[in-house]
Amino acid sequence: MSKKILFFFPENPFSNRAGNVTRAKTTLAILKKLGHSIDLVGVKHIYKDMQDTNDFDEKIIDNLFFISPRPPKKKTTIEYWKYKILKAYKKPSSSNQSLTDFTKKEFRDIFNKKKYDVLIINYEFWAGLLDPNSMKNCLKIVDTHDWITLNEFYKNKSLDVGRRFNEEINNLSKFDKIVTISNEEFFVFKSFLGDRVVNIPPSFPKNFVDENREKQYDLIFTGSDNPFNIEGIQWFLKNVLPLLSETIKICIVGRVCKHVPDYRNITKIIFAEDLSSYYTQSRIAICPMIKGTGIKIKVVEALSYKLPVVGTERAVDGFSSKLDNGCLVNNDPEIFKDYIIALLQDRAYYETMRNRAEDYFKNNFSENRTLKLWNDIIN
């Protein structure tokens, strides 16, 4: 049965900029394949800050709406002065400065125009958008993406972890269903919130290609310019790259390129509308992440192309199995280098790892599996 879904994601999920937007886009595609009608809500100033366009796929989304943390600066309007007075007495959430009373009102107004059957909020720190009165009869789902407390702790070691985690659990408790993408995070949240927590790993269409074709690149790394990607690629450049021959050709795609110096054997592509041409032209994906939480979308996407992955231990965060998954992981630069060399020089070993990548992807990240999991939640 088709449902009316209101899907909140602060950025443009069709921007193809980073793993989080890729995940939101694939979730939207899954929901559309299940036959539902979907309206999308974004945050106006976040679109502007991210330099996102208002473009969206009309085959997936019916309407795009925006909310803002404050009204237009027209001092003659009642709405403007009402907001100014409330702001003087009530501070926005310390975890989300964009979550103001005006934001909540705009979101509530959008919801009340259609009275949606299902409301999906991405990220727990937007839980304040829920209105217990007007939204009480709809199915309320939060897609966590990450364990936010741990993510924030990596960025700020002075964080009051107890206070922030209590806030996170309290926010999640407001929803009927809590979606995780990582096995570790599923275990943590389920321990506090019970059967409302459902693990739905990210999915991609199967993109397996013929390995006999000639490859342009030996290694590929994709990433936005978030702090974890920057730290990871700089660790690789400092500790692993000097151990590799300059004949090894490397492709780096995404805004993380802004933080990569020029090298003779590294090709930098700051933006790619479609990553498939770069994945199919590469032999191995690397994920040298030092910090970060949750499943690395770039790793799952690489596996969808049947590419072996060489990474640090963070590369397989959230995986149900740390072995036999198409990934070789170690935090020692020498061993990291050895894995790359072994895959490039030993054809039989390379094929073994490719087959493991294919099997693990089919069993854990297939689109059909994700379709069933989302269908079970919504229906």
Side-chain angles (χ1 to χ4, degrees):
M1 178 180 175
S2 177
K3 301 286 182 70
K4 293 183 295 183
I5 297 177
L6 187 62
F7 190 95
F8 171 80
F9 188 76
E11 308 170 47
N12 186 342
F14 299 95
S15 64
N16 297 319
R17 182 182 54 253
N20 63 322
V21 297
T22 298
R23 166 159 169 73
K25 178 182 175 181
T26 55
T27 299
L28 287 166
I30 289 289
L31 296 172
K32 177 54 68 173
K33 285 187 177 183
L34 290 171
H36 304 301
S37 63
I38 310 167
D39 286 348
L40 175 66
V41 180
V43 181
K44 191 66 177 179
H45 77 87
I46 293 179
Y47 269 60
K48 182 179 179 180
D49 292 346
M50 293 291 183
Q51 299 180 332
D52 287 344
T53 69
N54 296 352
D55 297 337
F56 62 90
D57 190 336
E58 295 181 358
K59 295 178 182 177
I60 298 177
I61 300 300
D62 296 323
N63 300 288
L64 170 64
F65 302 108
F66 288 105
I67 56 177
S68 301
R70 58 191 62 83
K73 294 181 179 179
K74 294 181 180 178
K75 297 184 179 181
T76 56
T77 65
I78 295 175
E79 197 64 59
Y80 174 85
W81 286 109
K82 180 180 177 182
Y83 168 78
K84 291 291 285 186
I85 293 169
L86 286 173
K87 186 180 179 183
Y89 291 96
K90 187 175 181 180
K91 294 181 180 179
S93 165
S94 60
S95 300
N96 185 354
Q97 295 296 312
S98 296
L99 189 59
T100 65
D101 282 342
F102 187 75
T103 314
K104 297 173 187 178
K105 177 193 176 299
E106 286 204 309
F107 190 75
R108 185 170 62 249
D109 289 347
I110 292 169
F111 180 88
N112 286 334
K113 285 180 181 178
K114 276 195 180 181
K115 294 291 185 182
Y116 294 86
D117 303 304
V118 181
L119 174 59
I120 300 177
I121 302 285
N122 286 266
Y123 305 114
E124 60 80 23
F125 48 82
W126 286 100
L129 292 174
L130 296 179
D131 177 60
N133 296 315
S134 62
M135 302 172 189
K136 63 183 178 181
N137 294 323
C138 77
L139 176 64
K140 294 173 282 294
I141 302 171
V142 59
D143 191 329
T144 59
H145 284 260
D146 270 319
W147 181 1
I148 299 298
T149 299
L150 182 57
N151 193 292
E152 291 181 4
F153 175 70
Y154 279 141
K155 299 175 184 177
N156 175 18
K157 296 299 184 181
S158 64
L159 178 74
D160 185 338
V161 173
R163 183 203 62 78
R164 184 63 184 92
F165 186 55
N166 181 68
E167 179 185 34
E168 184 169 12
I169 293 298
N170 182 60
N171 282 340
L172 295 177
S173 70
K174 299 174 183 177
F175 293 87
D176 303 307
K177 294 291 181 181
I178 298 122
V179 174
T180 63
I181 65 173
S182 156
N183 273 273
E184 287 90 344
E185 288 158 18
F186 171 71
F187 175 79
V188 170
F189 293 141
K190 187 176 176 66
S191 299
F192 290 92
L193 299 162
D195 292 338
R196 282 184 287 172
V197 184
V198 181
N199 197 52
I200 304 182
S203 69
F204 287 91
K206 185 174 64 175
N207 297 303
F208 304 151
V209 296
D210 181 11
E211 180 52 25
N212 291 323
R213 64 186 296 177
E214 186 176 346
K215 304 290 185 178
Q216 186 174 352
Y217 306 107
D218 297 298
L219 308 177
I220 183 171
F221 176 78
T222 63
S224 66
D225 54 353
N226 72 49
F228 301 137
N229 283 327
I230 294 169
E231 183 179 15
I233 196 61
Q234 289 181 345
W235 176 88
F236 173 83
L237 296 173
K238 178 182 177 181
N239 298 287
V240 181
L241 187 63
L243 306 176
L244 296 171
S245 167
E246 286 191 356
T247 61
I248 292 177
K249 297 179 180 179
I250 303 170
C251 176
I252 300 177
V253 185
R255 293 186 182 182
V256 73
C257 288
K258 298 176 183 177
H259 305 271
V260 176
D262 292 334
Y263 292 88
R264 287 194 299 173
N265 59 332
I266 294 181
T267 299
K268 296 184 288 185
I269 298 97
I270 289 182
F271 177 78
E273 187 69 37
D274 183 6
L275 290 174
S276 62
S277 61
Y278 297 101
Y279 276 120
T280 55
Q281 287 294 326
S282 304
R283 298 194 66 196
I284 301 167
I286 60 170
C287 183
M289 309 295 285
I290 306 302
K291 296 175 185 174
T293 58
I295 282 183
K296 308 301 179 285
I297 301 298
K298 61 173 63 65
V299 174
V300 178
E301 191 167 23
L303 296 179
S304 78
Y305 287 89
K306 202 175 174 179
L307 287 186
V309 177
V310 177
T312 51
E313 293 173 0
R314 294 274 72 81
V316 292
D317 278 349
F319 277 23
S320 58
S321 172
K322 307 300 183 184
L323 302 172
D324 296 329
N325 51 28
C327 303
L328 297 169
V329 299
N330 203 286
N331 291 354
D332 186 318
E334 283 283 350
I335 299 176
F336 196 109
K337 176 264 298 181
D338 289 343
Y339 285 153
I340 292 173
I341 298 302
L343 288 170
L344 292 177
Q345 294 184 349
D346 188 331
R347 183 69 185 183
Y349 183 51
Y350 180 75
E351 284 301 320
T352 296
M353 293 303 298
R354 269 173 49 84
N355 291 334
R356 288 178 183 173
E358 177 181 5
D359 291 342
Y360 192 74
F361 177 83
K362 286 179 178 178
N363 293 330
N364 294 275
F365 305 117
S366 71
E367 197 171 55
N368 287 339
R369 184 170 183 265
T370 303
L371 279 164
K372 182 181 184 308
L373 290 169
W374 272 108
N375 187 63
D376 289 346
I377 289 182
I378 291 178
N379 294 318

